[in-house]
Amino acid sequence: MAADFATEAVDVVVVGAGPAGMSAATRAARAGLKTVLIDEQDAVGGQIYRAIGRADARRKEILGPDYAAGAAIADAFAASGARHLTNATVWQVTRERGVNYLKDGKIGSFDAQRVILASGALERPFPIPGWTLPGVLTAGAAQILLKSAGEVPAAPPVLAGCGPLLYLLGWQYVRAGVPIRALVDTTRHEDRWRAKRHMLSALRAWPFLSKGLQLIRTLRDAGVPIFEAADDLRVEASVGADRVERAAALHFTTQGKAHRLEADVILLHQGVVPNTQFTQALRAAHRWDDAQLCFTPQLDAWGELDVPGIFVAGDGAGIGGAQAAALQGTLAGLAVAAQLGALTAATRDAEAAAHRRALAGVMRIRPFLDSLYRPRDVNRIPGDETIVCRCEEVTAGELRKFVGLGCVGPNQAKSFGRCGMGPCQGRMCGLTVTEVIADARRVSPAEVGYYRIRPPIKPLTLGELAGE
Amino acid sequence: MLIEPDMTIRSTDTPAHTLFKPLPGAQGASAANVAIWFNDRPLSVPGGRSVAAALLAAGIARFRATPVSGAPRAPFCMMGACFECLVEIDGVPSRQACMVEVKAGMRIRSQEGARDLPPTNLADALQENVHGR
């Protein structure tokens, strides 16, 4: 029996309700376009402004002013007239701008004149021995628990890795009165020297730079032990009274000296990377970004892909942060409105000019941040014993063996050993697999390429697909 | 692989150590608890949050076992990307615990290996290779 659902024709579908998606939908709807914002969560905000509509004054105080700033974007969206489809998972976007989704176990479909993808970022894989153990989470996961559930580690956690989100989480825990066992920073002095050549542009973005320094100062002032230039990270396991094997301690070295910090919650982070599942599945052109160490879709000045009528805004186009995402979202909304005749090109360009200037301003800090918090090779291209593909439990050593047998890229790695074929569809291992293979073959990641991503982007059952 | 009874059914009365807890005095800390079932045992968990956040706060540290080696796994990303928090909810396997809001009366089971249904009783588990494929 054919699926029992109708395809709904709309002007614009925006996928993802973070700052980019909300801003894009707001601008398109304000131009009078029939606009739908579709998102997996029950409320707007994405990850960065998660639960912004429900947060009380105390939670906003803990999370800080950058989080609270999301309320204005959410309010503008709520007043825009755009429709918000919540708890809906998009599992396919076609090159013909069909958007297929799953909501409450039922599939639905939009036929859109234009599509704006704003699916944001994922945390970069941080493959170290023991990173699959219960109790090891990403710093982003811990922040989501804080934002959406007001939950914090029951015992002092270890925060390990590098990047603004790691320090921000520590700062938020300090403000919330949560004790931290230690901050284990993988940034090395040579990273600081390398980053200094971008100092001038960073200084022009002084508010961002001073904010970052203030985060770390807050941690020091609170007496959080900070270990710098940490190396050889691995998580020790133990079996608890409930007979569950779990994280028990983080081992690492600093300047050759071995350390062991006991903690049953270990929060890892080494930056975020674009979530390119949709753009990869669309077979849009991507390039390897050697500064951000990830693949990014190739876009024109308005965010349009080489797939006509499909745009990308926000971190999914390359990491720029929340403020950049909101500006890019508005630019994409303007472009779409002009393409569909809801705005003149002159109006679009006049309004875009200020947004482009603001975007250039907030992007000034990026070369400095990318250089300072460039994750070290050893933390991206792990030793043989480390699990790379969490779903199918494939180690870096097995991957290297595949390469020895003639495996040239991520797609062959699937047939050699199911690498990347689990339910996460490569989200947790894709970049690691590309870089491990590139390293083993001594070629560039661009030459190795990425997994061939196919719909459904999120798993759905045959019954759901059949509309049963 | 044989499923050990004490692996699938564990006491949830006194969690060994809870990984996460509601922040005292913070929003949501006083959210009413809801009664659910976890692996056939009654469990009181804080409401108004995802199944993953609720189970973590109730002292559950193992959400599933991997199909490959049976290794324990628990929430990792909390944003629907990693699929480590897969559980069975009300008979439907492979639900992402971090993406589903907890509701009173939910029957939740840890997902043991591949996504077929867990054994309905212990005797089956001891006699059959329930996940052999």
Side-chain angles (χ1 to χ4, degrees):
Chain A
M1 201 187 106
D4 182 23
F5 69 94
T7 294
E8 190 182 345
V10 294
D11 293 328
V12 186
V13 168
V14 182
V15 182
M22 286 191 286
S23 301
T26 299
R27 193 61 195 88
R30 276 183 46 214
L33 297 173
K34 187 177 177 188
T35 305
V36 179
L37 176 61
I38 182 165
D39 188 81
E40 267 187 318
Q41 294 182 46
D42 60 1
V44 294
Q47 303 307 335
I48 189 89
Y49 300 135
R50 189 153 175 151
I52 186 71
R54 291 201 311 268
D56 66 5
R58 162 111 169 105
R59 190 173 291 174
K60 281 180 182 162
E61 190 202 321
I62 291 170
L63 293 170
D66 287 347
Y67 173 77
I73 300 174
D75 291 345
F77 169 72
S80 70
R83 184 171 140 209
H84 182 198
L85 192 63
T86 60
N87 299 106
T89 301
V90 176
W91 55 268
Q92 183 182 33
V93 175
T94 71
R95 292 176 70 93
E96 295 73 37
R97 299 177 303 282
V99 178
N100 294 313
Y101 64 91
L102 182 71
K103 180 179 165 69
D104 302 328
K106 293 193 167 52
I107 56 170
S109 181
F110 290 108
D111 182 7
Q113 297 288 315
R114 295 291 181 274
V115 174
I116 301 172
L117 300 170
S119 52
L122 299 169
E123 281 176 276
R124 179 189 295 283
F126 196 162
I128 58 171
W131 73 309
T132 54
L133 288 163
V136 181
L137 290 84
T138 68
Q143 214 187 30
I144 289 167
L145 281 163
L146 181 59
K147 287 175 185 170
S148 66
E151 285 180 24
V152 297
V158 171
L159 279 58
C162 63
L165 178 61
L166 192 70
Y167 314 128
L168 176 63
L169 176 68
W171 180 82
Q172 288 166 336
Y173 279 168
V174 167
R175 281 167 78 93
V178 176
I180 298 171
R181 179 73 184 80
L183 172 68
V184 176
D185 197 327
T186 55
T187 312
R188 302 211 288 190
H189 300 298
E190 66 203 52
D191 301 321
R192 298 183 206 286
W193 279 110
R194 194 185 52 224
K196 282 213 170 113
R197 64 192 165 91
H198 301 292
M199 198 62 174
L200 198 62
S201 62
L203 282 173
R204 291 164 69 197
W206 174 247
F208 296 87
L209 191 60
S210 89
K211 203 167 61 192
L213 296 172
Q214 189 209 324
L215 297 182
I216 296 173
R217 198 179 314 124
T218 303
L219 291 175
R220 277 190 206 286
D221 291 350
V224 175
I226 299 180
F227 296 85
E228 287 179 346
D231 224 339
D232 306 317
L233 276 66
R234 77 182 160 85
V235 180
E236 176 191 324
S238 78
V239 177
D242 55 2
R243 310 191 61 160
V244 174
E245 188 188 32
R246 59 172 76 204
L250 182 74
H251 291 252
F252 59 96
T253 60
T254 53
Q255 289 164 344
K257 186 171 180 283
H259 303 269
R260 175 181 180 273
L261 298 176
E262 283 187 18
D264 53 18
V265 173
I266 295 167
L267 303 171
L268 300 178
H269 180 79
Q270 55 175 352
V272 296
V273 293
N275 176 0
T276 56
Q277 299 293 112
F278 285 118
T279 51
Q280 292 281 6
L282 281 162
R283 306 285 176 262
H286 289 70
R287 68 178 191 92
W288 175 258
D289 181 334
D290 203 49
Q292 296 197 339
L293 297 165
C294 59
F295 288 103
T296 55
Q298 291 186 22
L299 308 169
D300 75 4
W302 298 98
E304 191 167 5
L305 290 167
D306 62 350
V307 185
I310 303 185
F311 292 70
V312 182
D315 278 353
I319 302 305
Q323 285 177 290
L327 293 162
Q328 290 166 342
T330 303
L331 288 171
L334 284 168
V336 160
Q339 283 187 357
L340 296 180
L343 287 179
T344 65
T347 310
R348 174 198 66 187
D349 293 346
E351 198 181 319
H355 288 85
R356 290 197 192 283
R357 273 195 303 277
L359 185 59
V362 297
M363 291 304 276
R364 252 180 226 137
I365 187 80
R366 281 293 141 186
F368 177 77
L369 289 181
D370 292 342
S371 182
L372 179 58
Y373 298 124
R374 182 181 176 93
R376 295 186 52 213
D377 290 358
V378 68
N379 291 331
R380 307 191 321 274
I381 306 170
D384 281 350
E385 76 282 15
T386 304
I387 287 179
V388 168
C389 167
R390 298 172 61 102
C391 297
E392 298 291 337
E393 298 177 74
V394 180
T395 64
E398 287 171 289
L399 254 183
R400 292 187 177 108
K401 243 180 249 167
F402 302 159
V403 172
L405 292 169
C407 170
V408 295
N411 296 304
Q412 290 82 5
K414 293 182 184 178
S415 34
F416 273 92
R418 290 198 53 79
C419 188
M421 293 184 76
C424 94
Q425 293 164 296
R427 287 172 175 86
M428 293 294 115
C429 69
L431 288 173
T432 313
V433 169
T434 292
E435 288 209 89
V436 166
I437 294 175
D439 177 65
R441 290 183 51 207
R442 306 199 179 285
V443 298
S444 72
E447 187 177 335
V448 167
Y450 196 71
Y451 286 129
R452 184 164 280 258
I453 304 297
R454 293 184 178 85
I457 292 300
K458 287 267 175 118
L460 77 168
T461 68
L462 284 172
E464 287 162 346
L465 189 58
E468 283 172 359
Chain B
M1 185 189 85
L2 239 139
I3 302 293
E4 299 289 332
D6 58 352
M7 283 177 69
T8 48
I9 298 176
R10 48 175 294 267
S11 167
T12 49
D13 302 329
T14 50
H17 32 269
T18 300
L19 294 179
F20 284 83
K21 64 173 185 188
L23 184 61
Q27 180 186 7
S30 57
N33 270 33
V34 295
I36 61 165
W37 298 86
F38 185 74
N39 286 347
D40 296 329
R41 297 285 181 108
L43 187 65
S44 180
V45 300
R49 64 201 63 212
S50 67
V51 167
L55 291 178
L56 283 172
I60 303 299
R62 175 184 177 280
F63 281 52
R64 70 180 186 108
T66 60
V68 179
S69 72
R73 294 287 169 89
F76 179 70
C77 81
M78 288 299 293
M79 55 181 276
C82 76
F83 293 77
E84 294 290 12
C85 63
L86 294 182
V87 292
E88 181 196 315
I89 301 177
D90 293 334
V92 182
S94 289
R95 300 296 307 275
Q96 291 182 281
C98 71
M99 302 300 289
V100 179
E101 192 179 343
V102 70
K103 293 268 159 49
M106 271 183 171
R107 288 186 172 268
I108 300 167
R109 286 171 177 277
S110 54
Q111 184 154 312
E112 304 302 326
R115 43 154 288 180
D116 41 8
L117 297 178
T120 47
N121 66 55
L122 215 54
D124 291 345
L126 293 170
Q127 285 162 16
E128 289 176 29
N129 178 357
V130 288
H131 302 294
R133 282 181 167 173

